[in-house]
Amino acid sequence: MSEQTQPRLAVRNLTTVFHTRAGRFVAVDDISFDVYPGECLGIVGESGSGKSVAALSIMGLVDYPGQIEAGRIEYAGTDLRTLSENQLRRVRGEEIGIIFQDPQTSLNPLFTVGTQLVDVVRAHRKISKSEAAALAIEKMKLVGISAPESRMKSYPWELSGGQRQRIAIAMALLLGPKLIIADEPTTALDVSIQAQIVDLLISLKNELDFSLIFVSHDLGVIQNVANRVMVMYAGRMMETGEVGSLFRDPYHPYTAALLASAPTLRTNRSEPLQAIDGRLPSPGKLPPGCVFAPRCQYVQEDCRVRQPLLESIGDAGRRVACIHPLIALPDEVHV
Amino acid sequence: MRKVILRRLLQNIVLVVVIVLVVFILMRLTAGDPARMKAPVFASDEILQSYREQFGTDRPLTAQLWDFVSGIPRGDFGTSFRYQQPVFELIWQRVPETALLAFTSLTLALLVAIVLGVAGARRPGSAIDRFGIAASTLGQSAPTFWVALMLVLIFSVHFRWFPAVGFTGWKSLVLPSIAVALAVFPADLRVLRSSMIDTFHQEHIRTARAFGISNRRITWLYAFRNAALPLITVVGIDLGYLLGGTIVAEVVFNYPGVGQLAIDSVNARDYPLIQAITILTAMVFVFVNLGIDVLYMVLDPRIRIEA
Ligand SMILES: Nc1ncnc2c1ncn2[C@@H]1O[C@H](COP(=O)(O)OP(=O)(O)OP(=O)(O)O)[C@@H](O)[C@H]1O
Ligand SMILES: [Mg+2]
């Protein structure tokens, strides 16, 4: 990758809030990241940390009472937030594809797989039904569905979980988008199928050269899929960097805690799994300083008052939002 | 699927038979002698007795029941006490008017319910949504006879736009249809609105949006198809209100339909007429509900395949 490469997606200062009866909740708080052509960005974080809201915000799919309050979402140089609903409609599916968590609920139970796929094609292309069906069948073959012609006539609930998710992936691929967002695409599936789906996504990405945003709880999967990772906590970005170095040397105590609690990552099996004590703060009652301070085992006094900013530290591309990162900085070495 | 429909049909036929028997017995148990209704007020016992012989009401109940039941396969539902005509003919003449009124009322009710229900569900709490809810509350609380009288007062008596009584063409349909529709649409609207709101929150709708399907298509195809299922069930239940409302409207507007005939027949203790109208009404219920079951299967493949 040359340094001149432009990011396909550049998100700047994205802030998404929910206005509920209990008040204003910031679900995504001032996050910025880039996704380059052909790369996979992993987003990790505990449940409720804002991963899905961030993913939906990119496509302008956050519903009332949620609202994108600030930020820019630049796709191929255009800020998607400035587009009209109709312009945005053309980007969805055509430029950016999305794969949701649970294909059982994310496909319409009253329409056949074929109807739904054909409808997506025809929402963007003025072609006949049979041409659209041919395209759908082609993509179904691509995702490894056997006898795609007869599967076209099946209803989603007639298929197995793995088959359904393959259909959902075929839908995302239909119009050849250059960016695909996968929001926990394996969480709802049988453990035995999860690896197949992950492998499928990796091989499709290599073959078709789209960019991928892969949201997951599972750090083991992220390690296999992603080039870079973004760690989120309570709507904020805690740390980001190349996947290898970040997993090897986490600078943020939250990243470290997350890695220590991940069963699929353990290299040293003699060390016990460490669950992170405490819970995510509720979005209405964020602590004043670092949001992770109440649960951090390295917490110091200033962490509770001063909010850390995301700063570049150490190796290329690594940014950490921590006042006392887990790295021996030159001035601290002498203390 | 065919088996299910056949079973449903058999169940319903049994139901119709039971209803008819209950009506047959109840009428003869309640006070009121058809002969007295027909004869002059101070008629002598002989005159009354001759009427009873003519009507057959002097014979034992079992014999009357046999007469009635054995006639049905031949299409003979008896002769009206009051009109001295075969009841089948009497009813048949009036079915078109009532069917027309019921049809226009239901169409109007559904139209209003769909327009206001879908618009309201798209923006809950908006002006149009609040209007829909207010209108349905009004429709539910205003009795049909009162609404009918008000419509006559305003649009027939004051403005003279529509005839107040009788049947003289499409204009005669307008006011009765509005009166009946006003009683029927609130349940439709509420059910459609809430099922539409539920559907809009389902994940497959978000998927459709995420893939650039237009809002109009999402609303009227993807969401409406899901939300229409509960609506269809309510339409089946509506039928009761529809027929009840039709009777009231027919009486107020002196509209020459089966509803009026039903009221007349009850007042005259015209047993054969009451029995025939009951059978007809029960059959309508059976067939409409059967139609609804079929429609359900057509719209929801999950039911179709289970069946
Ligand atoms: N419709 C909504 N109304 C109010 N708050 C919401 C809504 N949707 C999401 N949130 C809030 O936004 C925050 C982030 O939620 P989000 O779904 O993005 O988490 P997540 O990281 O994807 O979690 P998970 O791993 O469970 O999917 C949560 O605190 C949640 O309460
Ligand atoms: Mg999520």
Side-chain angles (χ1 to χ4, degrees):
Chain A
M1 223 182 290
S2 78
E3 296 134 62
Q4 297 305 313
T5 318
Q6 291 291 313
R8 212 159 248 170
L9 179 75
V11 173
R12 291 291 172 271
N13 310 102
L14 176 67
T15 301
T16 305
V17 301
F18 284 91
H19 297 280
T20 67
R21 233 171 275 145
R24 175 177 169 274
F25 289 170
V26 184
V28 170
D29 194 355
D30 193 28
I31 65 172
S32 303
F33 58 90
D34 293 326
V35 184
Y36 286 90
E39 81 158 346
C40 172
L41 174 73
I43 303 182
V44 296
E46 282 166 282
S47 189
S49 54
K51 306 183 297 291
S52 294
V53 173
L56 292 174
S57 298
I58 295 169
M59 298 191 80
L61 288 174
V62 178
D63 281 322
Y64 178 87
Q67 190 194 358
I68 299 177
E69 207 175 63
R72 274 177 301 139
I73 300 160
E74 276 174 21
Y75 177 84
T78 357
D79 184 358
L80 298 182
R81 286 190 68 207
T82 62
L83 297 186
S84 70
E85 183 65 22
N86 202 36
Q87 288 169 318
L88 198 55
R89 190 184 72 69
R90 269 179 257 149
V91 172
R92 294 175 182 153
E94 175 91 54
E95 296 287 338
I96 307 177
I98 190 161
I99 302 162
F100 291 108
Q101 180 170 335
D102 188 353
Q104 173 145 21
T105 48
S106 64
L107 294 171
N108 197 319
L110 299 187
F111 297 88
T112 61
V113 164
T115 309
Q116 295 182 56
L117 292 175
V118 166
D119 223 31
V120 168
V121 176
R122 282 163 52 93
H124 298 273
R125 308 256 161 94
K126 287 197 164 54
I127 60 175
S128 73
K129 274 192 183 162
S130 56
E131 285 171 303
L135 187 62
I137 288 168
E138 180 198 318
K139 301 297 176 186
M140 279 161 88
K141 280 190 190 134
L142 202 59
V143 298
I145 286 176
S146 51
E149 287 86 359
S150 65
R151 286 290 82 128
M152 289 281 280
K153 296 189 206 82
S154 302
Y155 289 93
W157 39 267
E158 293 178 295
L159 306 175
S160 69
Q163 292 277 303
R164 270 198 294 263
Q165 196 60 304
R166 283 172 199 268
I167 297 289
I169 295 171
M171 192 184 268
L173 295 176
L174 266 183
L175 301 152
K178 293 179 202 70
L179 171 65
I180 288 183
I181 300 171
D183 186 2
E184 305 200 35
T186 59
T187 311
L189 302 179
D190 226 60
V191 183
S192 58
I193 300 161
Q194 292 185 353
Q196 292 175 21
I197 296 292
V198 170
D199 290 345
L200 175 67
L201 279 170
I202 293 173
S203 71
L204 286 170
K205 182 180 86 75
N206 293 337
E207 191 180 331
L208 304 172
D209 201 39
F210 51 80
S211 307
L212 182 62
I213 295 178
F214 195 102
V215 177
S216 183
H217 282 126
D218 190 336
L219 296 172
V221 169
I222 291 290
Q223 192 176 34
N224 289 334
V225 181
N227 306 99
R228 287 188 304 116
V229 201
M230 177 167 109
V231 180
M232 284 185 74
Y233 183 82
R236 294 191 193 156
M237 231 165 122
M238 295 280 115
E239 183 166 11
T240 179
E242 299 291 329
V243 77
S245 86
L246 188 136
F247 277 32
R248 208 178 323 108
D249 294 311
Y251 293 164
H252 199 294
Y254 177 62
T255 314
L258 213 54
L259 289 166
S261 70
T264 50
L265 270 188
R266 280 198 297 165
T267 41
N268 185 352
R269 299 206 170 251
S270 57
E271 270 176 49
L273 271 182
Q274 301 265 290
I276 311 177
D277 285 336
R279 286 198 295 130
L280 207 67
S282 80
K285 299 193 212 77
L286 291 183
C290 170
V291 281
F292 187 58
R295 298 168 75 187
C296 182
Q297 63 181 121
Y298 306 100
V299 64
Q300 299 190 20
E301 270 323 298
D302 50 353
C303 297
R304 300 187 195 278
V305 279
R306 197 151 61 85
Q307 190 178 323
L309 300 173
L310 202 66
E311 285 173 87
S312 297
I313 309 182
D315 55 359
R318 181 78 71 96
R319 287 183 298 153
V320 184
C322 181
I323 304 170
H324 304 286
L326 304 175
I327 182 176
L329 292 174
D331 56 333
E332 279 185 316
V333 173
H334 302 291
V335 174
Chain B
M1 180 165 160
R2 193 165 298 160
K3 237 180 6 199
V4 174
I5 293 174
L6 218 63
R7 198 176 55 215
R8 210 53 69 78
L9 191 66
L10 281 177
Q11 283 170 356
N12 285 329
I13 289 174
V14 172
L15 190 69
V16 172
V17 170
V18 172
I19 291 171
V20 170
L21 287 181
V22 168
V23 169
F24 181 91
I25 292 163
L26 269 185
M27 260 176 342
R28 284 160 176 83
L29 289 180
T30 49
D33 180 351
R36 268 192 203 287
M37 302 294 173
K38 178 89 181 181
V41 183
F42 295 110
S44 67
D45 280 351
E46 290 90 76
I47 293 177
L48 287 177
Q49 190 56 31
S50 75
Y51 273 125
R52 284 180 194 129
E53 276 163 26
Q54 185 195 337
F55 297 162
T57 49
D58 58 332
R59 299 165 59 215
L61 265 187
T62 46
Q64 291 183 41
L65 183 61
W66 175 247
D67 278 356
F68 168 55
V69 173
S70 61
I72 293 175
R74 283 178 277 124
D76 175 10
F77 291 86
T79 304
S80 160
F81 295 167
R82 182 171 170 186
Y83 300 97
Q84 292 302 316
Q85 262 188 60
V87 293
F88 188 80
E89 270 174 32
L90 267 176
I91 296 171
W92 200 241
Q93 285 164 3
R94 294 178 174 230
V95 162
E97 272 81 8
T98 297
L100 198 62
L101 176 57
F103 177 78
T104 50
S105 307
L106 185 62
T107 308
L108 191 62
L110 282 177
L111 213 67
V112 172
I114 289 171
V115 168
L116 290 179
V118 170
R122 282 177 77 153
R123 294 169 187 280
S126 63
I128 189 154
D129 187 38
R130 283 188 309 228
F131 171 77
I133 290 173
S136 70
T137 308
L138 191 76
Q140 252 165 348
S141 43
T144 304
F145 76 89
W146 180 81
V147 172
L149 287 174
M150 287 301 127
L151 289 174
V152 169
L153 267 179
I154 298 169
F155 296 104
S156 307
V157 177
H158 186 76
F159 289 115
R160 298 180 176 281
W161 288 345
F162 301 103
V165 294
F167 185 82
T168 52
W170 70 267
K171 273 194 168 181
S172 308
L173 266 176
V174 175
L175 296 184
S177 300
I178 292 174
V180 178
L182 206 63
V184 173
F185 92 90
D188 299 354
L189 184 141
R190 279 164 200 270
V191 165
L192 181 62
R193 175 182 179 274
S194 74
S195 68
M196 208 67 188
I197 288 176
D198 284 350
T199 310
F200 278 140
H201 284 120
Q202 282 169 11
E203 287 181 31
H204 57 81
I205 296 297
R206 187 184 61 192
T207 304
R209 284 179 59 212
F211 281 90
I213 311 280
S214 71
N215 276 337
R216 186 186 300 171
R217 199 166 170 82
I218 289 174
T219 303
W220 292 109
L221 186 71
Y222 285 54
F224 189 75
R225 177 100 170 246
N226 280 271
L229 295 170
L231 177 67
I232 292 168
T233 310
V234 177
V235 171
I237 301 167
D238 274 350
L239 204 64
Y241 290 95
L242 193 64
L243 293 178
T246 311
I247 292 179
V248 174
E250 284 185 11
V251 171
V252 173
F253 291 97
N254 195 19
Y255 183 96
V258 180
Q260 271 215 31
L261 200 62
I263 297 286
D264 286 352
S265 67
V266 171
N267 288 339
R269 294 292 185 279
D270 194 340
Y271 296 161
L273 198 50
I274 299 174
Q275 283 158 194
I277 290 175
T278 310
I279 294 177
L280 176 75
T281 315
M283 299 283 268
V284 168
F285 260 91
V286 166
F287 280 105
V288 170
N289 279 296
L290 209 62
I292 283 169
D293 287 342
V294 173
L295 200 59
Y296 226 98
M297 288 188 216
V298 170
L299 287 179
D300 192 342
R302 285 165 297 189
I303 299 174
R304 193 189 316 156
I305 285 174
E306 263 168 42

